Amino acid sequence: MNLGALVRPGARWIGLLLVTLGGAVLRLIPVVASDFPLNDGGLFFAMMRGIQADGFGLPHAVSYNGQAIPLAYPPLGLLLGAATSSLTGLSLLDVQRFVPVVLSILTVPAAFLLFRQLLSTELRALVATAAFAVIPRSYDWMIAGGGITRALGLLVALLALAASVRLYRTGQLRWAAAAGLLLGLAALSHPQAGVFAGLGVFVLLPFTASHRSRAARGLLVLLAVGLAVVAPWLVMVLTRYGPDTLLGAAQNGGSLQDSLVILLGLHLSDGFVQVMGIVGAFGLFVCLLNRQWLFPVWVAITFLVGSRGALTFGAVPIAGAVAYAIADAMRLLRIREPMQIRELGRAPAAIVILMLVFAAATTDAIAAPLVEGSPLHAVPEEDRTAMAWIAANTPPDAHVMVVSGTSWPIDATSEWFPVLTGRQSVATAQGTEWLGPGTFQEYEQRYKWLQSCAATTDLACARLWSEQVGPVDYVMAVRSHEAALNGYDCCLAFADRVIADGGEQVYANEDVRIVRVNFGGG
């Protein structure tokens, strides 16, 4: 019996298990520490509730924040969440707490399936997987409430790319069918995941194909299968709403200018110190020096096509570059790089390098919630208590101005407000991307103007809003996490100015003020 043949795969899978467990701990810490879904997900909650109410069909529209939002969002994650709730008895809120983190944990072994085909040694594949596991952006938005779609999309996209590489290496059409099916499912899970997977199958072909013409024929089959999977949903959306709904959502993907700023500034990861971003940038430089073009090209295309999701999906090629960085560091230090995982025990210096890098990266990831803009925070209990008061004590048609002094992607209070109160948040932008071209941009600018105006010393924002945009019956001012990190509290002071101007404070706790107003005498 060849014992080496048994030890080798055993070492591989034990190593992967340990990496996956480490990634799981990082992902579970913020989820377990909160009793509510992290950051966003209010809009998805409304969509899943609408799907349940429609008997698991796809209703034409769902009610959210006083508007009928077309249900044109890719439905797979929403159907998964709604079905999980109905089959298990879990509330939708619990589904949004726990299902995303389970899906995010599964992306770690899925990444290994891809890296073991893209990197030259077994150990490098495991190092890249470990890097992916600890890069905060690979999971922070995945484990939020909205991760019910994002994490599923990333998981299926990774599997699609792994299958596509198998296709390019073997030419076997069964892999074309598998990759095409998974590509279609990625697009049905999350828009950016579909784009990432779609671009990936093209990027990987010239770097992995053993026979270019045969791989190109397989790619055509792959794309045909993927289109066949997506086509029924796409036809339904176009028939129901026309192209404007999808065009409006497509405008919400960020700008080329934002992408260039990220790339030129080498802002390649989140985290307190961005350890993996720094190591990954070095790895990309090493790749360029050695004319290893795959990961630099993949990073550039991922960032230039869509800045909004670039850090999330760019974590995949950046993690691959980390493996090159560590391998080159070992070479410079004259440390023998083990080819296989089972050989690592005979290379103590390599173990020291790996332990130092990943100890620093793990510490950085644990500290990620302290970074401004981190989504690893839930709606505070004080905010939810205040919203429960609003639901019980204000008219059903009340219009509330929620002022937090933060940016809209991490303003969890504003997004969850409509579903927790049944009232309208006049400045919430989420959902408007499905109302046609330009609509979201208009709401986004209103939101930014309101939050910045609230930091001034007068009431211009509230008065002008009432006069030019629409009625305001209450102001809900909250002490946001982001404002606290910046060392200022714009919004409770804003509530005090509203009170001094004649508003009536009707509710208050340590972090929230609710004031009944009558701007302009309306």
Side-chain angles (χ1 to χ4, degrees):
M1 179 181 293
N2 185 353
L3 294 178
L6 294 176
V7 172
R8 177 178 172 181
R12 173 196 307 157
W13 300 122
I14 290 172
L16 177 58
L17 176 62
L18 292 174
V19 167
T20 303
L21 288 175
V25 170
L26 286 176
R27 286 155 173 77
L28 285 168
I29 288 173
V31 172
V32 174
S34 174
D35 63 347
F36 195 80
L38 299 177
N39 198 50
D40 65 342
L43 176 62
F44 292 157
F45 179 96
M47 289 180 172
M48 290 187 291
R49 184 171 58 185
I51 289 172
Q52 288 179 326
D54 197 57
F56 287 88
L58 295 178
H60 191 279
V62 295
S63 177
Y64 176 74
N65 201 30
Q67 297 175 308
I69 306 297
L71 191 54
Y73 195 96
L76 194 59
L78 303 174
L79 288 167
L80 172 65
T84 301
S85 174
S86 295
L87 292 173
T88 64
L90 289 172
S91 69
L92 287 175
L93 289 177
D94 283 337
V95 166
Q96 287 184 271
R97 279 186 68 202
F98 297 117
V99 172
V101 72
V102 171
L103 294 171
S104 181
I105 292 169
L106 292 175
T107 63
V108 177
F112 180 72
L113 293 178
L114 176 61
F115 287 130
R116 66 183 294 205
Q117 299 182 78
L118 297 180
L119 293 162
S120 57
T121 73
E122 185 180 83
L123 182 60
R124 288 190 184 186
L126 189 64
V127 168
T129 306
F132 173 81
V134 301
I135 292 175
R137 198 54 182 261
S138 75
Y139 66 85
D140 54 7
W141 285 92
M142 302 294 107
I143 63 176
I148 193 74
T149 65
R150 290 187 289 259
L152 178 63
L154 178 58
L155 172 62
V156 181
L158 288 168
L159 295 175
L161 294 175
S164 70
V165 176
R166 292 288 291 171
L167 164 66
Y168 301 150
R169 291 268 165 79
T170 67
Q172 296 174 357
L173 291 184
R174 63 190 177 108
W175 290 111
L181 172 62
L182 291 163
L183 173 62
L185 294 178
L188 289 176
S189 301
H190 189 270
Q192 291 169 339
V195 172
F196 170 70
L199 289 173
V201 299
F202 285 97
V203 170
L204 292 173
L205 188 150
F207 298 101
T208 62
S210 56
H211 191 282
R212 293 285 180 87
S213 61
R214 188 169 59 183
R217 288 194 295 271
L219 175 61
L220 293 177
V221 176
L222 184 163
L223 295 175
V225 173
L227 182 60
V229 172
V230 174
W233 169 78
L234 189 61
V235 169
M236 182 198 73
V237 170
L238 292 174
T239 301
R240 282 183 171 184
Y241 315 110
D244 281 354
T245 297
L246 294 179
L247 291 174
Q251 292 178 349
N252 191 29
S255 67
L256 179 60
Q257 180 181 355
D258 294 337
S259 298
L260 290 174
V261 169
I262 294 172
L263 275 176
L264 296 178
L266 294 179
H267 177 70
L268 301 181
S269 177
D270 282 344
F272 197 73
V273 183
Q274 299 184 31
V275 170
M276 281 291 101
I278 295 170
V279 177
F282 176 67
L284 292 174
F285 180 68
V286 170
C287 289
L288 291 172
L289 286 181
N290 292 299
R291 297 186 179 182
Q292 299 287 336
W293 305 112
L294 170 58
F295 293 119
V297 168
W298 199 359
V299 166
I301 290 176
T302 301
F303 276 75
L304 292 176
V305 168
S307 63
R308 186 177 170 193
L311 286 172
T312 295
F313 295 99
V316 178
I318 289 167
V322 167
Y324 278 94
I326 294 178
D328 199 63
M330 291 182 184
R331 181 185 64 81
L332 292 173
L333 295 172
R334 301 182 183 276
I335 297 172
R336 184 181 70 86
E337 181 194 1
M339 299 294 288
Q340 306 298 337
I341 297 170
R342 62 186 174 87
E343 299 172 354
L344 194 57
R346 298 194 295 270
I351 294 176
V352 171
I353 291 290
L354 291 172
M355 288 181 64
L356 288 175
V357 170
F358 284 100
T362 301
T363 303
D364 191 38
I366 293 172
L370 301 176
V371 178
E372 181 179 342
S374 171
L376 298 176
H377 304 279
V379 179
E381 184 178 357
E382 292 80 2
D383 293 23
R384 285 180 272 147
T385 301
M387 286 189 273
W389 184 92
I390 288 175
N393 296 279
T394 64
D397 59 350
H399 293 74
V400 182
M401 177 180 283
V402 180
V403 183
S404 66
T406 189
S407 56
W408 70 264
I410 57 169
D411 188 352
T413 298
S414 286
E415 181 174 349
W416 283 99
F417 182 93
V419 297
L420 295 181
T421 66
R423 309 301 188 263
Q424 185 172 352
S425 168
V426 298
T428 294
Q430 285 89 341
T432 60
E433 64 268 33
W434 301 100
L435 298 179
T439 305
F440 176 82
Q441 287 70 27
E442 178 183 350
Y443 274 78
E444 181 184 29
Q445 290 306 312
R446 289 180 186 176
Y447 177 90
K448 290 179 178 178
W449 170 72
L450 172 64
Q451 305 303 331
S452 61
C453 181
T456 64
T457 58
D458 58 36
L459 298 177
C461 44
R463 293 190 183 282
L464 284 174
W465 193 289
S466 182
E467 294 170 3
Q468 299 180 11
V469 180
V472 177
D473 302 308
Y474 296 85
V475 167
M476 177 177 171
V478 304
R479 191 197 310 271
S480 71
H481 172 76
E482 188 175 48
L485 286 176
N486 286 328
Y488 75 94
D489 180 16
C490 73
C491 306
L492 299 189
F494 176 76
D496 292 337
R497 292 195 295 274
V498 175
I499 295 169
D501 191 60
E504 177 190 0
Q505 179 171 292
V506 292
Y507 177 89
N509 63 35
E510 184 177 352
D511 293 321
V512 183
R513 304 282 190 276
I514 300 173
V515 183
R516 182 187 292 118
V517 298
N518 189 21
F519 294 125

